[in-house]
Amino acid sequence: MALSAGARLGAYEIVSALGAGGMGEVYRARDTKLGREVALKILPPTFTNDPERLARFRREAQVLGALNHPHIGAIYGLDDANGQQFLVLELVDGESLDRRIARGPIPVEEALGIARQIADALEAAHDKGIIHRDLKPANIALTRDGDVKVLDFGLAKATEAGGASSVDLANSPTITSPAMMTGVGIILGTAAYMSPEQAKGRTADKRSDVWAFGCVLFEMLSGKRAFEGEDVSDTLANVLKTQPDWNALPATTPPAIRRLLGRSLEKDRKRRLADIADARLEIQEGLTKPAGDARQPVSAAHGTFPWVLATAVLAVAVLVLGFVHFRETPLQPRTIRFQVPLPEKTMGPVFELSPDGRTLAITASEGGRRRLWLRPLDSLNAQALPGTDDASYPFWSPDSAFIGFFAQGKLKKIALAGGPPQTLCEAPNGRGGAWNANGVILFSGLGSGLSRVPAAGGIPAAVTKPANSGAIHRFPEFLPDGSRFLFLINGGNSSGTPQATGIYVGSLDGVTPPTRVLPDQSNAVFAAPDASGTRGYLLFRREGTLMAQPFDSGRIAMSGDMFPLAEQVGNSGNTNHGAFSVSENGVLAYASGDVTIGGLLQGRELVWMERTGKRLGAIGQPGLFFAAALSADEKRISFAIATQGGDGSDEWVYDVTRGVPSRFTFRTGLSADGVWSPDGSRIVFSGGNNSLYQKPANGAGQEELLARAGVNTRSLDWSGDGAFVVYQTQSGGQTGTDLFLLPLGGNRQPVPYLQTPFDEADAQFSPDGRWMAYASNESGQPQVYVQAIPASGAKWQISTAGGDQPRWRRDGKELFYVSADQKLMAVPVKTGVSFETGSPQPLFDIQPVYGPLTGRFAYQPTADGQRFLVTAPVSGGVAPAITVVLNWQAGVRK
């Protein structure tokens, strides 16, 4: 019974009819629950009224539901409503291949491109033991994006006798044959594309699909069917007895394709091409090799080429050479994986593959110093680049000859051929850059938008400006045209406005509004089959999984289904910056494992240690801990636990006396950096939306918003009188990371403590409240300083060779910090109206979770300074490494 527009089948509203055939009627419909359009195929009553046949079909649909391939139309489910059994299918918006052929033969190169995608789809199905059995142009769709979708996979497998006829008998499921009339066998498929074994009522296998594939390819090239007849009987007779008209193939048909057609349309399936994967190889050869002789006909007897022979010897020689050539067809590149170890003691790496896929640029902290390292993939060693201290977020020039990076609040570049780095411009908050073939560098580092600057250096110009308060633009990546780019908008309005959080495409013209292509909070890269292509894949990170989805960079349009490339892929350098990179020639690199915020590549544990470095014991079980803090009475510990994959964290409180941990925050995203009030009654922490909150330490009350700050806000310390909290944030403008004081009384308006062009971080109140210890990179590397409160300009440098993470002893007689070579240092000090300091002395080695100036501490001393609570790597942890995948797109095609 035909359905009209507006009719309902359960949750589906009919939009229009799409077609009808032996397997039922097909309608365009709207899924009212999910708000998407689908195709509904209503099964015929003769099919659904047979319980055994329907049960078999249900099992088949379950198998087909497991198929996930970009060139196979998806099956969403099997449903029933109003007494109707129907399939819910992917709606493919485009024209069918038979309609395309009706306009005339398809040019050879275009036809072979279509055929290769069909072969990919068949190969994926055959690998799962699924045979199509009814492959024909009417079951192949060409999308508006130029992709191929093979439809009705496996449906014919459930069809038995009694299918319905249609007007075009030669192009419909067969309903008459001697086998059908005698009941000896069952004929499946469509007469014009049916293999000889199917025409005889025998069991079909994957070679039957190869035959149908040959029929489809022949028809695309010639514009006519390989086997035709006035009716079904004539058509089947031609399938069994005659050969296609090989002269109908165009003169430009490559020899490899003629050979492929001959072997695919071999009537004896024992001599037919055995695997569709071999057809894919022949198509690849046909696309890459010249056509040669245009009119070499295919033998009717064997599906090989009968040459015009001058002599018998020449005939033998040519046949032997042809056989050898076929046997020596080169294999497609395989997907190969291997791991690249990082420099020893590396923490928080950010890495980027060169466009030529030969070298990894890595920013890694070793010995407390973060530098830029080069790791050629054909070498066993990584080498540090001199002059790149404090490097972050490297990116390559298109010719792989230079590396851009951020350091000391500036955008720099360095040549691989040698020489010192060159400063290009100011960039105090560098968060990613991109370099196009026209010598333009696009970067995030000035304010909250993206800026451009010539690769030779100069004055930056704004390209993007956030439309919403608090939004930031980061991690640009150029698309192939060099004028448009991918980037992340984060932290702004998420209500669906044009600047909602997500992955966008922008334009260098600074005028074209950005287009949102994905809602994910991740950096994204475009990977095309070749450097000049516009159709490829968008790679991005979703909940710890590296995903890929077909993307047309010319039309700025997603297409097809997304699919996973790697699990448990971590962050690198930033919560929303995934630890992955891809080159232009098919090399993929990613870091996985227990990766937490900032790129920690192994688990941590909370450990008590003496001043001598003696380990006294661990607290609880190992986990993904960071930013631990002691309450004033030292009976409770607050710490953050990162979620697997690093997408977020929660604050926890550990009762030292009872040995019981309890979860303190229950928010989406990041909750960390807990700071205890002096009386231990409250905890201030930083939230994932760059804001500060407070909550009763017993966890019983509601959290209270204290202040909305800038990017990467970290709560650092609470003054002894309870009046102020000090925090660090990237407040924008021409400054780096700044320090602010938040009054907890009155109007609670934050006031700057230190706001300079440099990065000031890790601030701590002295116990008497007169002095502030903090770290700054104003000298070119992080050093620890002490300055009065309020800031007077006069300051004392505490560290002598680099340092950060200062902490006071409770009585104010010592100041501790972490040196550049990762040692916990102790400095005798005297506070009061004046300040005095002695010489630093090393206590023991320590391995911070994060790099310098992050505002997250790896230790805290007890009140007497004799013991330290340390966040330490789990002993025997796995050394961090980067996984490299060669020819990753070959795995996608599989």
Side-chain angles (χ1 to χ4, degrees), residues 760-815:
E760 290 85 26
D762 306 351
Q764 296 283 286
F765 292 104
S766 63
D768 62 9
R770 295 174 179 265
W771 306 92
M772 186 78 78
Y774 64 94
S776 172
N777 62 3
E778 64 178 81
S779 67
Q781 72 174 122
Q783 299 280 10
V784 174
Y785 299 89
V786 169
Q787 192 169 166
I789 302 175
S792 62
K795 55 181 176 290
W796 288 259
Q797 182 175 321
I798 306 302
S799 57
T800 57
D804 65 346
Q805 300 188 43
R807 293 274 203 186
W808 298 88
R809 201 168 90 180
R810 189 72 54 81
D811 59 8
K813 294 182 179 181
E814 270 188 310
L815 185 62

Side-chain angles (χ1 to χ4, degrees), residues 484-698:
R484 290 180 294 184
F485 51 87
L486 297 160
F487 69 106
L488 171 67
I489 294 182
N490 191 30
N493 190 333
S494 59
S495 63
T497 66
Q499 291 276 284
T501 293
I503 298 169
Y504 282 74
V505 171
S507 177
L508 281 180
D509 62 20
V511 177
T512 306
T515 301
R516 188 171 184 246
V517 293
L518 283 169
D520 298 85
Q521 297 185 48
S522 170
N523 59 311
V525 298
F526 175 73
D530 57 75
S532 61
T534 60
R535 291 174 54 204
Y537 297 94
L538 211 59
L539 274 60
F540 57 97
R541 185 173 173 274
R542 174 175 289 181
E543 297 181 357
T545 298
L546 179 59
M547 306 294 294
Q549 185 170 0
F551 178 70
D552 188 327
S553 67
R555 299 176 57 250
I556 310 300
M558 310 296 295
S559 64
D561 297 326
M562 64 182 64
F563 49 90
L565 293 180
E567 302 293 339
Q568 294 185 346
V569 173
N571 297 307
S572 64
N574 182 276
T575 304
N576 298 317
H577 189 264
F580 65 92
S581 179
V582 64
S583 73
E584 293 179 350
N585 58 351
V587 181
L588 170 67
Y590 63 89
S592 62
D594 289 341
V595 183
T596 70
I597 306 162
L600 175 62
L601 293 173
Q602 51 185 338
R604 313 291 281 199
E605 56 187 346
L606 298 178
V607 179
W608 284 111
M609 300 186 72
E610 290 183 339
R611 290 177 70 98
T612 61
K614 179 182 178 180
R615 180 184 169 117
L616 300 176
I619 295 175
Q621 298 297 315
L624 302 176
F625 300 119
F626 66 98
L630 277 168
S631 62
D633 59 9
E634 299 180 0
K635 293 182 179 180
R636 289 168 296 172
I637 303 169
S638 68
F639 54 86
I641 298 181
T643 57
Q644 193 78 359
D647 282 323
S649 63
D650 282 300
E651 193 75 9
W652 289 67
V653 173
Y654 183 85
D655 188 314
V656 176
T657 304
R658 298 169 54 223
V660 177
S662 58
R663 185 173 173 181
F664 183 69
T665 61
F666 300 83
R667 311 177 77 253
T668 301
L670 300 177
S671 296
D673 313 309
V675 175
W676 291 89
S677 63
D679 61 4
S681 65
R682 290 170 292 164
I683 296 176
V684 165
F685 62 94
S686 54
N689 57 353
N690 299 316
S691 299
L692 296 180
Y693 298 84
Q694 73 169 347
K695 184 178 178 180
N698 60 12

Side-chain angles (χ1 to χ4, degrees), residues 347-372:
M347 288 175 296
V350 181
F351 56 89
E352 188 79 7
L353 269 169
S354 59
D356 61 14
R358 296 181 178 180
T359 309
L360 278 166
I362 305 167
T363 59
S365 296
E366 185 184 54
R369 176 186 294 180
R370 189 176 70 233
R371 293 184 293 178
L372 190 61

Side-chain angles (χ1 to χ4, degrees), residues 437-475:
N438 297 321
V440 174
I441 291 179
L442 182 67
F443 69 99
S444 170
L446 293 174
S448 53
L450 299 178
S451 304
R452 60 181 292 174
V453 69
I459 300 175
V463 175
T464 68
K465 182 179 180 180
N468 302 317
S469 175
I472 51 176
H473 296 179
R474 287 180 171 174
F475 316 131

Side-chain angles (χ1 to χ4, degrees), residues 38-57:
V38 297
L40 300 184
K41 173 167 281 195
I42 300 176
L43 303 180
T46 55
F47 186 87
T48 57
N49 291 338
D50 186 333
E52 181 180 353
R53 188 181 298 174
L54 185 59
R56 187 184 306 157
F57 186 83

